[in-house]
Amino acid sequence: MSAFSYQAVDSGGRMLKGVLDGDSERQVRQQLRERALKPVSVSAVAGARAGISSGLLTRWSARGVRLSAAERSLVTRQLASLVRSGLPVSESLQVAAQQSSRPAVQGLLVQVRSRVQEGRSLAQSLGEHPGAFDDMFCAMVRAGESAGFLGEVLERLAEHAESGQQLRQRLRMAMIYPAALLGVAVLVVSLLMIFVVPSLTRIFVNSGQELPALTVALIAVSDFFTSPRALALLTVLVLLCAVFRHWLRDAGHRRQWHALLLRLPLLGPVILQADSARFASTLSILISSGVPLLDALRIAGRVLENRVLHERSMEVAEAVKQGSSLSRAMRKADIFPPLLVQMIASGEANGSLAEQLAHAAGNQNRELEMKLGTTMALLEPLTILIMGGIVTLIMLAILLPIFDINTLV
């Protein structure tokens, strides 16, 4: 089967677009008529080009599709509901594709359905699209298929994706106001220095009188903002950022940078807590879904964005492979939060490791939200104070010569 994009008109005269799979264009047109739709155009996705079959091109193009967190959460929730209702996997994928409003996602799900119909497992079919479904997703689906509770596993994946998305949204919302306030402050000061200050200070410069040091400094800063040197400095900064990004492409350099970030006073603990919560949450959902502990550790280690933490997680997996307990291996790594290690030890002792990991991830996320909330709450008045101080200095630099009006005359 191949994927075909279509345009059709419904009974109400609305133009609909989507993707369907079929053996031929004629079969897809027949499917549309069975749905009371009038086909306008039907064409193979990506077409046939350079001697490559359309089916092969469809597979190649679908592999490049990436799903946002919201899209993957929605697709997983739809599949979980359909599978738990007793619908076969192939039909569940078809219904989910029809409900998607994005053609790329429709094509992706249609391609996965085609592979399932060819006899592959759902996990294998999803694994052909790493940009959309990561190792953790595929491992959990594989475990659910082998254990016979795919619907429950998809439900856990949907809840995991939704909780992660909600956390990111809350953090993003908490950062919007301080970021906007800082942007306005920078914009106001820049406009003052470029347009307002030069016209006012020109009077003082032309007077030929001795000016206060603060006014002289203000004139120098304003001259810099309006001179080509400011553009040159901006260009240098952009080039430095580009060089830095190129430098980070090297694995060794990236590890050095990540190690430095962990040592920073305020940012380091936040990075450690965020990655630890992600690690614990992923490990919990993998273990509870039936994935073996060693495989779960290796998969959970891949979700860690910090290279140092990733290396330590691989060391933990190696220690567990050699017979060590998880809590002892994590304690030996000497980087994970002590509370997380203690809760893992408790879970190992009473046989509730997955539950304790979930509690630990929740605690880490709550503490992270509180820390970031406190930081953002402090940043708002601090930004206002800094902006007010800069504006006050500008006004003083302008008013001081005016106060000395006799000297100016």
Side-chain angles (χ1 to χ4, degrees), residues 67-85:
L67 297 181
S68 65
E71 288 174 335
R72 185 161 62 175
S73 173
L74 179 59
V75 168
T76 308
R77 175 63 68 186
Q78 290 173 339
L79 288 176
S81 301
L82 293 167
V83 171
R84 296 194 72 175
S85 67

Side-chain angles (χ1 to χ4, degrees), residues 201-396:
T201 56
R202 191 177 299 115
I203 302 172
F204 307 141
V205 174
N206 294 335
S207 67
Q209 301 297 320
E210 184 178 354
L211 300 175
L214 186 60
T215 306
V216 174
L218 179 66
I219 293 173
V221 172
S222 178
D223 290 342
F224 177 80
F225 268 81
T226 55
S227 69
R229 290 176 296 174
L231 182 60
L233 178 61
L234 182 61
T235 304
V236 170
L237 291 177
V238 171
L239 289 175
L240 287 176
C241 290
V243 170
F244 179 71
R245 292 189 63 179
H246 180 75
W247 183 78
L248 285 179
R249 291 179 182 177
D250 181 77
H253 295 159
R254 188 163 61 251
R255 188 193 181 283
Q256 294 175 13
W257 173 245
H258 287 176
L260 175 62
L261 291 178
L262 286 177
R263 290 195 294 267
L264 295 178
L266 295 177
L267 187 60
V270 171
I271 293 174
L272 176 61
Q273 202 157 19
D275 263 4
S276 297
R278 191 180 298 112
F279 177 79
S281 177
T282 304
L283 193 58
S284 169
I285 196 171
L286 286 168
I287 293 174
S288 63
S289 299
V291 179
L293 177 59
L294 189 57
D295 293 338
L297 281 170
R298 289 169 177 165
I299 295 170
R302 297 192 189 108
V303 308
L304 297 174
E305 296 179 356
N306 188 279
R307 296 300 304 175
V308 177
L309 291 172
H310 172 76
E311 291 176 2
R312 296 296 177 88
S313 68
M314 293 298 102
E315 293 174 4
V316 169
E318 185 63 28
V320 171
K321 180 180 178 181
Q322 295 175 1
S324 173
S325 67
L326 177 59
S327 58
R328 189 180 305 114
M330 293 185 69
R331 189 176 292 112
K332 186 177 179 181
D334 195 27
I335 195 170
F336 294 98
L339 179 60
L340 174 60
V341 178
Q342 291 175 6
M343 296 187 74
I344 289 175
S346 175
E348 287 178 319
N350 56 32
S352 59
L353 179 58
E355 291 80 359
Q356 291 296 332
L357 281 167
H359 291 320
N363 290 335
Q364 295 289 324
N365 282 327
R366 283 191 294 271
E367 289 183 16
L368 179 62
E369 287 187 58
M370 291 176 60
K371 283 183 179 179
L372 290 178
T374 303
T375 303
M376 294 301 112
L378 292 175
L379 185 60
E380 293 172 14
L382 182 61
T383 304
I384 294 174
L385 287 174
I386 293 175
M387 180 180 176
I390 294 174
V391 173
T392 301
L393 288 175
I394 294 174
M395 296 306 298
L396 284 175

Side-chain angles (χ1 to χ4, degrees), residues 72-84 87 89 92-93 122-123 126 133 137-138 140-145 149-162 285 289:
R72 185 161 62 175
S73 173
L74 179 59
V75 168
T76 308
R77 175 63 68 186
Q78 290 173 339
L79 288 176
S81 301
L82 293 167
V83 171
R84 296 194 72 175
L87 207 63
V89 173
S92 300
L93 288 166
L122 178 60
L126 295 174
F133 305 102
F137 197 101
C138 296
M140 287 186 61
V141 171
R142 187 179 300 109
E145 285 181 306
F149 51 91
L150 179 60
E152 289 78 0
V153 167
L154 288 171
E155 193 77 25
R156 290 196 192 106
L157 277 168
E159 293 173 356
H160 177 72
E162 288 168 358
I285 196 171
S289 299

